Amino acid sequence: MDPQLTSQIVPAEEIKVIEECLVRLAEDTGGNYVLLLDKSGQVITAQGDAARQDITALGALIAGTFASSREVAKLLREKDFRQLFTQGVRENIFISLIEDQWILCIIFNKGTHIGLVKVLTKKATDDLSVVLERVREQQKARDDVLGSSFRTSMEDTIDLLFRD
Amino acid sequence: MALINVAAREIHCKIVYYGPGMSGKTSNLQYIHSQVPKETKGELLSIATETERTLFFDFLPLDLGKVRGFQTRFHLYTVPGQVLYERTRVAVLSGADGVVFVADSQKHKLEENIRSLRELAVNITRQNKRFQDFPVVLQYNKRDVPGALPVATLDKYLNTLGWQRFEATATNGAGVFDTLKAISKLVISKL
Ligand SMILES: Nc1nc2c(ncn2[C@@H]2O[C@H](COP(=O)(O)OP(=O)(O)OP(=O)(O)O)[C@@H](O)[C@H]2O)c(=O)[nH]1
Ligand SMILES: [Mg+2]
């Protein structure tokens, strides 16, 4: 089967490794918020400032920004923009690509130097690339994870909720 | 690519509404947003021009609650249909698990539908996916417009791959949920 059409399963133990990596990055940089997204905009996991609402919309927008910058890169015949830096009045956002699959995003305030964020993010993306590699390699059968009756239950739920 | 987070027991799927300018993609999301229960929907986020044309995307997260222990979420997006925004469409399509192609049934729009569908095929292929295998559902929208092309004609030009297709009038909701149900089930069947 086309690997691009199958889903990506991130096992519990890998989520734990990812979380540790994000916590470390937040602590070492004094960052307020760190999140890991899939390139489709879905939040894999987030750490920090629990008061942030609407992570879902944030994920969609950041991934959209990144994807559109990739198209800008193509037009400029640039290979890719691996990083994006957005400067705000109170907070800055630094975004970095992990392989072609995940997006690491850190939100930090004026107290933190961007140079430090860049160096530590580089280290974190290296660590996360290793995790991503492992996630890609493991070939767990869907049924092991979801259970064989998942699809029928899902179809019932769809019929129940998606109607006027 | 659908994402299954085993630790949080979450499943995410991304569905994109694609099609030529003004075919009714945003109207589909607006209708869905107006009808699904409060607990199921998040806010509808629209990045549009002053004249209500989509500039970047519309985004509607739907949370289906727990299914067999898994929190299941569908994220619906629309692309901007205007020719000008070709590259933006590529960006929004990134990582999509399924597409609803919203065609405009009006006679003078046939050519635009065909061109947009061809562009979709190119863009999916560029993501290293086989277009013939990619989950697509067709929607023939604006069936209420006088002189709308017969379904058989639209089939002949747009449905050469034999997808499931639905007639719709997005502004009053006809066919909108049939389309959504079909693409959701198709995407789930590929998990
Ligand atoms: N008569 C009729 N009008 C419709 C229907 N669906 C949408 N419209 C109208 O068509 C116009 C464009 O609809 P949108 O939903 O904004 O179209 P879109 O595909 O999102 O357009 P872009 O964002 O530019 O790509 C609006 O004025 C809608 O009210 C329909 O089924 N019948
Ligand atoms: Mg629109």
Side-chain angles (χ1 to χ4, degrees):
Chain A
M1 191 182 184
D2 182 352
Q4 296 286 333
L5 279 181
T6 63
S7 29
Q8 181 172 68
I9 300 177
V10 190
E13 56 276 17
E14 298 294 2
I15 292 284
K16 203 161 154 278
V17 177
I18 295 168
E19 277 170 356
E20 281 163 12
C21 179
L22 300 195
V23 168
R24 206 176 323 124
L25 181 61
E27 281 174 3
D28 293 353
T29 56
N32 300 332
Y33 203 65
V34 187
L35 64 166
L36 185 70
L37 309 170
D38 185 75
K39 71 169 173 206
S40 58
Q42 290 142 359
V43 179
I44 298 169
T45 177
Q47 290 297 319
D49 200 351
R52 289 228 182 232
Q53 1 82 342
D54 236 338
I55 311 183
T56 312
L58 192 65
L61 286 168
I62 290 173
T65 312
F66 217 112
S68 83
S69 85
R70 187 183 307 138
E71 294 308 307
V72 172
K74 276 189 206 150
L75 292 178
L76 299 180
R77 296 175 203 286
E78 180 67 58
K79 190 176 171 293
D80 214 344
F81 294 126
R82 309 295 303 180
Q83 276 125 21
L84 282 182
F85 178 49
T86 307
Q87 211 164 2
V89 176
R90 286 179 303 114
E91 287 181 315
N92 302 322
I93 305 183
F94 188 72
I95 307 170
S96 185
L97 198 59
I98 299 164
E99 312 282 311
D100 253 344
Q101 188 65 46
W102 289 349
I103 298 166
L104 177 64
C105 167
I106 171 163
I107 302 176
F108 56 99
N109 58 29
K110 294 285 160 186
T112 307
H113 196 279
I114 174 68
L116 178 70
V117 173
K118 278 189 179 168
V119 172
L120 294 174
T121 301
K122 172 76 176 68
K123 181 164 177 345
T125 55
D126 289 347
D127 294 347
L128 291 171
S129 305
V130 177
V131 177
L132 176 59
E133 203 46 50
R134 280 202 302 262
V135 168
R136 278 184 173 150
E137 267 165 23
Q138 54 113 27
Q139 288 293 341
K140 232 176 200 166
R142 314 285 156 245
D143 280 358
D144 289 357
V145 177
L146 294 178
S148 50
S149 52
F150 178 79
R151 197 193 298 178
T152 33
S153 303
M154 192 64 224
E155 288 182 348
D156 293 345
T157 309
I158 287 169
D159 286 332
L160 189 73
L161 292 175
F162 291 172
R163 61 191 167 91
D164 30 17
Chain B
M1 189 188 325
L3 183 74
I4 303 177
N5 181 332
V6 178
R9 300 188 75 73
E10 285 177 353
I11 297 176
H12 297 266
C13 303
K14 174 171 178 175
I15 294 169
V16 176
Y17 284 67
Y18 204 97
M22 299 284 257
S23 67
K25 302 174 291 296
T26 299
S27 303
N28 265 273
L29 260 61
Q30 285 168 340
Y31 186 74
I32 294 165
H33 183 252
S34 75
Q35 297 294 315
V36 291
K38 259 206 318 296
E39 316 77 64
T40 304
K41 66 187 172 195
E43 297 218 16
L44 175 60
L45 172 72
S46 292
I47 306 179
T49 65
E50 276 150 25
T51 54
E52 302 287 304
R53 305 294 301 273
T54 303
L55 176 64
F56 196 171
F57 57 69
D58 303 295
F59 170 65
L60 176 62
L62 297 175
D63 187 339
L64 279 74
K66 275 211 165 68
V67 178
R68 297 270 155 180
F70 275 85
Q71 196 76 30
T72 309
R73 300 204 169 92
F74 284 95
H75 287 178
L76 310 186
Y77 289 77
T78 72
V79 299
Q82 295 180 74
V83 175
L84 166 72
Y85 299 133
E86 210 254 281
R87 291 297 164 143
T88 314
R89 285 191 283 284
V90 174
V92 177
L93 256 192
S94 175
D97 297 305
V99 163
V100 171
F101 186 87
V102 182
D104 192 324
S105 299
Q106 296 176 93
K107 198 167 180 185
H108 65 283
K109 292 284 186 173
L110 182 60
E111 177 101 32
E112 274 183 62
N113 289 326
I114 294 170
R115 235 180 283 133
S116 174
L117 192 54
R118 245 186 239 144
E119 183 197 270
L120 173 65
V122 169
N123 288 337
I124 294 291
T125 311
R126 286 218 182 107
Q127 291 190 27
N128 297 322
K129 297 171 189 171
R130 234 176 300 131
F131 190 56
Q132 298 92 304
D133 301 339
F134 190 78
V136 177
V137 166
L138 254 182
Q139 182 184 77
Y140 297 154
N141 191 35
K142 304 203 182 180
R143 295 310 298 167
D144 60 319
V145 173
L149 284 174
V151 168
T153 309
L154 290 166
D155 275 344
K156 180 166 164 237
Y157 288 100
L158 303 176
N159 202 11
T160 48
L161 289 175
W163 295 311
Q164 279 178 268
R165 57 121 169 92
F166 299 90
E167 297 179 54
T169 302
T171 33
N172 71 23
V176 168
F177 277 98
D178 291 336
T179 312
L180 176 62
K181 275 193 266 189
I183 190 66
S184 309
K185 289 178 184 176
L186 193 56
V187 164
I188 286 296
S189 75
K190 305 261 178 173
L191 272 185

